Amino acid sequence: MLEAPFRTSFRVTWAETDAAQVVHYSNYFRFFERAEEEFYAHLGFTFADTARRGLWFPRVEAFCQYKKPARFNDLLEVEVTVEELKEKSTKYGFRVFNKDTGDLLANGYVVVVAADRQTGKATAIPQEIVDKLKPFAK
Amino acid sequence: MLEAPFRTSFRVTWAETDAAQVVHYSNYFRFFERAEEEFYAHLGFTFADTARRGLWFPRVEAFCQYKKPARFNDLLEVEVTVEELKEKSTKYGFRVFNKDTGDLLANGYVVVVAADRQTGKATAIPQEIVDKLKPFAK
Amino acid sequence: MLEAPFRTSFRVTWAETDAAQVVHYSNYFRFFERAEEEFYAHLGFTFADTARRGLWFPRVEAFCQYKKPARFNDLLEVEVTVEELKEKSTKYGFRVFNKDTGDLLANGYVVVVAADRQTGKATAIPQEIVDKLKPFAK
Amino acid sequence: MLEAPFRTSFRVTWAETDAAQVVHYSNYFRFFERAEEEFYAHLGFTFADTARRGLWFPRVEAFCQYKKPARFNDLLEVEVTVEELKEKSTKYGFRVFNKDTGDLLANGYVVVVAADRQTGKATAIPQEIVDKLKPFAK
């Protein structure tokens, strides 16, 4: 059975806005990453652990569609879904909502690869991470 | 005749790197925008002018593929191409190279819409901007 | 009687680190501002309100001393104190702790001025803001 | 004889502005660092070199006074001076000007320590760096 998507909330800070008085488009990719980090924490991943294994998780692709602007102090809700779970990579989907109005502000995805820190080469995602992501995978 | 793509160069600053000792993935979207800004300057656009018209240029879509990492102090070259030129929107393509090695580090695009600052609605790109972009459009 | 200082907590995100694998020094000023924003929320200030009055709050001075590094995923606690409360300006003090170890990581301050959005000139801080800050002022 | 201060110029990008339509106060510390990096390049320091020695240069103190706002597309000039040159630390002074109007926008300083990457302990600044900074030291 598919787990409900992970959701997390935070407010737009002043530093994230730009001179159009909306969140700068590049910051949505930081929102995606922050939601991904909180998803990992929710799953109980310890980063000390992956560092000890000599693993890191570079992004190889990133995409975002912008629907409506987010403004200073808006309460955002970011939903994380596991779109694809492959041997060496994961595709996470994201939807950013204004939590008060329910409006969809942006949606997108990132493709993350498991890589060996030394060689930089793609490597298999550790089994216990796969096991924890699987219930969320479509 | 198609104009040669616009190219601009800058160095990776320390603040743009992350704990993997490479440029953070969100910063490529700032590189894209900076290259776009320098392209406009090259074309002779005055921003004071578009502000006076009550226009701004929100992004509605953004994409990037990451090929090789960029590191602190690397000299980057960013190439800007006009992929699509429509009545109310433009799609810019970007390629980021390591200028010393010639390696392609990343490529991507953004779709930019001309919008009325008051209403937020999409509007026609001013004719003199269209005239200047046309020689670069594929 | 002096109110206890306001405290708020958040985790270090990957995007806030740099190639030394610690939080970039400029980001402490974003932590200060974020803590200040949460302090205002705690006091019940509505930003829509100050915007309607045509007020904004530029910083005229900022300072930080760095004691120990913060790393990715560290849980920070930021303490906000009202160091000085003048007619047109406030000096906020900040201390950033590692919440798990209790270590002081950084301390600093910002001086914030109330300013008229149109003229840019310093103006009196609205009385109801003063009233709410007073119990925290040293 | 005292060398003339190092000066470098760059334009304010859109991503550096905030909803007050001016450069966000934290970004001045990025401007300081970028000017410092260009100063090092001007002096012929090779970062590969200091990395090989296992050195890095954390900031232990940072200060900025804000005089006038900088806006999108403004051409800035940043001046770097060597305020103090000690055995293990350097204090750099910075002044940020609007290059077109000549207005002083901000001034500040950072104190940078030479540190051993492994132990984190302060260590002597390498002699050839001292030799190159000395002609700029007050």
Side-chain angles (χ1 to χ4, degrees):
Chain A
M1 214 194 76
L2 194 64
E3 287 271 352
F6 175 75
R7 284 167 170 262
T8 183
S9 289
F10 39 82
R11 281 200 186 275
V12 173
T13 65
W14 186 259
E16 289 160 345
T17 61
D18 65 26
Q21 303 182 317
V22 301
V23 169
H24 190 261
Y25 90 117
S26 67
N27 286 330
Y28 287 83
F29 293 99
R30 300 187 176 194
F31 295 161
F32 291 176
E33 194 174 64
R34 180 170 167 189
E36 186 191 333
E37 291 166 6
E38 295 188 12
F39 179 44
Y40 292 153
H42 172 76
L43 295 178
F45 294 172
T46 61
F47 291 96
D49 223 61
T50 54
R52 207 166 35 231
R53 290 161 181 276
L55 278 185
W56 61 301
F57 298 97
R59 275 93 250 275
V60 295
E61 212 172 292
F63 173 76
C64 189
Q65 267 184 313
Y66 305 90
K67 303 295 192 186
K68 293 192 174 186
R71 296 175 198 283
F72 173 56
N73 212 37
D74 282 354
L75 184 60
L76 304 181
E77 184 165 62
V78 185
E79 178 196 270
V80 185
T81 49
V82 181
E83 298 291 312
E84 286 176 23
L85 183 52
K86 296 185 176 170
E87 195 207 342
K88 300 180 178 176
S89 71
T90 315
K91 182 179 181 176
Y92 294 109
F94 301 93
R95 292 198 297 166
V96 181
F97 297 90
N98 180 312
K99 197 169 181 179
D100 292 318
T101 64
D103 287 343
L104 176 66
L105 306 181
N107 60 277
Y109 68 81
V110 299
V111 179
V112 180
V113 163
D116 184 291
R117 243 176 207 275
Q118 299 294 16
T119 65
K121 290 231 188 311
T123 182
I125 302 172
Q127 190 56 41
E128 79 263 31
I129 295 186
V130 173
D131 290 345
K132 285 188 171 163
L133 290 177
K134 221 168 224 169
F136 293 88
K138 288 185 173 170
Chain B
M1 214 193 76
L2 193 66
E3 286 271 350
F6 175 74
R7 283 166 171 260
T8 183
S9 289
F10 39 82
R11 281 199 185 275
V12 173
T13 65
W14 186 259
E16 289 160 346
T17 62
D18 65 25
Q21 304 183 316
V22 300
V23 169
H24 189 262
Y25 91 116
S26 67
N27 286 330
Y28 286 82
F29 294 99
R30 300 189 176 194
F31 296 161
F32 291 177
E33 194 174 64
R34 180 171 167 188
E36 186 191 332
E37 291 166 7
E38 295 188 12
F39 179 44
Y40 292 154
H42 171 76
L43 295 178
F45 293 172
T46 62
F47 292 94
D49 222 60
T50 55
R52 206 163 37 228
R53 290 161 181 277
L55 278 184
W56 61 301
F57 298 96
R59 275 93 251 276
V60 294
E61 212 173 293
F63 173 76
C64 189
Q65 267 185 312
Y66 306 89
K67 303 296 192 185
K68 293 191 173 187
R71 296 175 197 284
F72 172 56
N73 212 36
D74 282 354
L75 184 61
L76 304 181
E77 183 165 63
V78 185
E79 179 196 88
V80 185
T81 50
V82 180
E83 298 292 311
E84 285 175 23
L85 182 52
K86 295 185 176 172
E87 195 207 342
K88 299 179 180 179
S89 71
T90 315
K91 182 180 181 178
Y92 293 109
F94 300 92
R95 292 199 297 166
V96 180
F97 297 90
N98 180 313
K99 198 170 181 178
D100 292 318
T101 64
D103 287 343
L104 176 66
L105 306 181
N107 60 276
Y109 68 81
V110 300
V111 179
V112 181
V113 162
D116 185 290
R117 241 175 209 276
Q118 299 294 15
T119 66
K121 289 231 187 311
T123 184
I125 302 171
Q127 191 56 42
E128 78 263 31
I129 295 186
V130 173
D131 291 344
K132 284 187 171 164
L133 290 177
K134 221 169 225 169
F136 292 88
K138 289 183 172 170
Chain C
M1 213 194 74
L2 193 65
E3 287 270 351
F6 175 75
R7 284 166 170 261
T8 183
S9 290
F10 38 82
R11 282 199 184 275
V12 173
T13 64
W14 186 259
E16 288 160 346
T17 61
D18 65 25
Q21 303 182 318
V22 301
V23 170
H24 189 261
Y25 91 117
S26 66
N27 286 331
Y28 288 82
F29 294 99
R30 299 187 177 194
F31 295 161
F32 291 177
E33 194 173 65
R34 181 171 166 187
E36 185 191 334
E37 291 166 6
E38 295 188 12
F39 180 44
Y40 291 153
H42 172 75
L43 295 178
F45 293 171
T46 62
F47 292 95
D49 223 60
T50 54
R52 207 165 35 231
R53 290 160 180 277
L55 278 184
W56 61 300
F57 298 97
R59 276 92 250 275
V60 295
E61 213 172 292
F63 173 75
C64 189
Q65 268 185 311
Y66 305 90
K67 303 295 193 185
K68 293 192 173 186
R71 295 175 198 285
F72 172 56
N73 212 36
D74 282 354
L75 184 61
L76 305 181
E77 184 166 61
V78 185
E79 179 197 88
V80 185
T81 50
V82 180
E83 298 291 313
E84 286 176 21
L85 183 53
K86 296 186 176 170
E87 195 206 342
K88 299 179 179 178
S89 71
T90 315
K91 182 180 181 176
Y92 294 108
F94 300 93
R95 292 199 297 167
V96 181
F97 297 91
N98 181 314
K99 198 170 182 178
D100 292 318
T101 65
D103 287 343
L104 176 66
L105 306 181
N107 60 276
Y109 68 81
V110 299
V111 180
V112 180
V113 162
D116 185 289
R117 240 174 209 278
Q118 299 294 15
T119 65
K121 290 231 188 310
T123 182
I125 302 171
Q127 190 56 42
E128 80 264 30
I129 295 186
V130 173
D131 290 344
K132 286 188 170 160
L133 290 177
K134 221 168 225 169
F136 293 88
K138 288 185 174 170
Chain D
M1 214 194 73
L2 194 65
E3 286 270 351
F6 175 75
R7 283 167 170 261
T8 183
S9 289
F10 39 82
R11 281 198 186 275
V12 173
T13 64
W14 186 258
E16 288 160 346
T17 61
D18 65 25
Q21 305 184 316
V22 301
V23 169
H24 189 261
Y25 90 117
S26 68
N27 286 330
Y28 287 83
F29 294 99
R30 300 188 177 194
F31 295 161
F32 290 177
E33 193 173 66
R34 182 172 165 186
E36 186 191 333
E37 290 166 6
E38 294 188 12
F39 180 44
Y40 292 153
H42 172 75
L43 294 178
F45 294 171
T46 63
F47 291 95
D49 223 58
T50 55
R52 207 165 34 232
R53 290 160 181 277
L55 279 184
W56 61 301
F57 298 96
R59 276 93 250 276
V60 294
E61 212 173 292
F63 173 75
C64 189
Q65 267 185 314
Y66 305 89
K67 303 295 191 185
K68 294 192 172 187
R71 295 174 198 284
F72 172 56
N73 212 36
D74 282 354
L75 184 60
L76 305 180
E77 184 166 61
V78 185
E79 179 196 86
V80 185
T81 50
V82 181
E83 298 292 312
E84 286 176 22
L85 183 53
K86 296 186 177 171
E87 194 206 343
K88 299 179 179 177
S89 71
T90 315
K91 182 180 181 177
Y92 294 109
F94 300 93
R95 292 199 296 167
V96 181
F97 297 90
N98 180 313
K99 197 169 182 180
D100 292 319
T101 64
D103 287 343
L104 176 66
L105 305 182
N107 59 276
Y109 68 81
V110 299
V111 180
V112 180
V113 163
D116 184 290
R117 240 176 209 276
Q118 299 293 15
T119 66
K121 290 232 189 308
T123 185
I125 302 171
Q127 191 55 43
E128 79 263 31
I129 295 186
V130 173
D131 290 345
K132 285 189 170 161
L133 290 177
K134 222 169 225 167
F136 293 87
K138 288 185 174 169

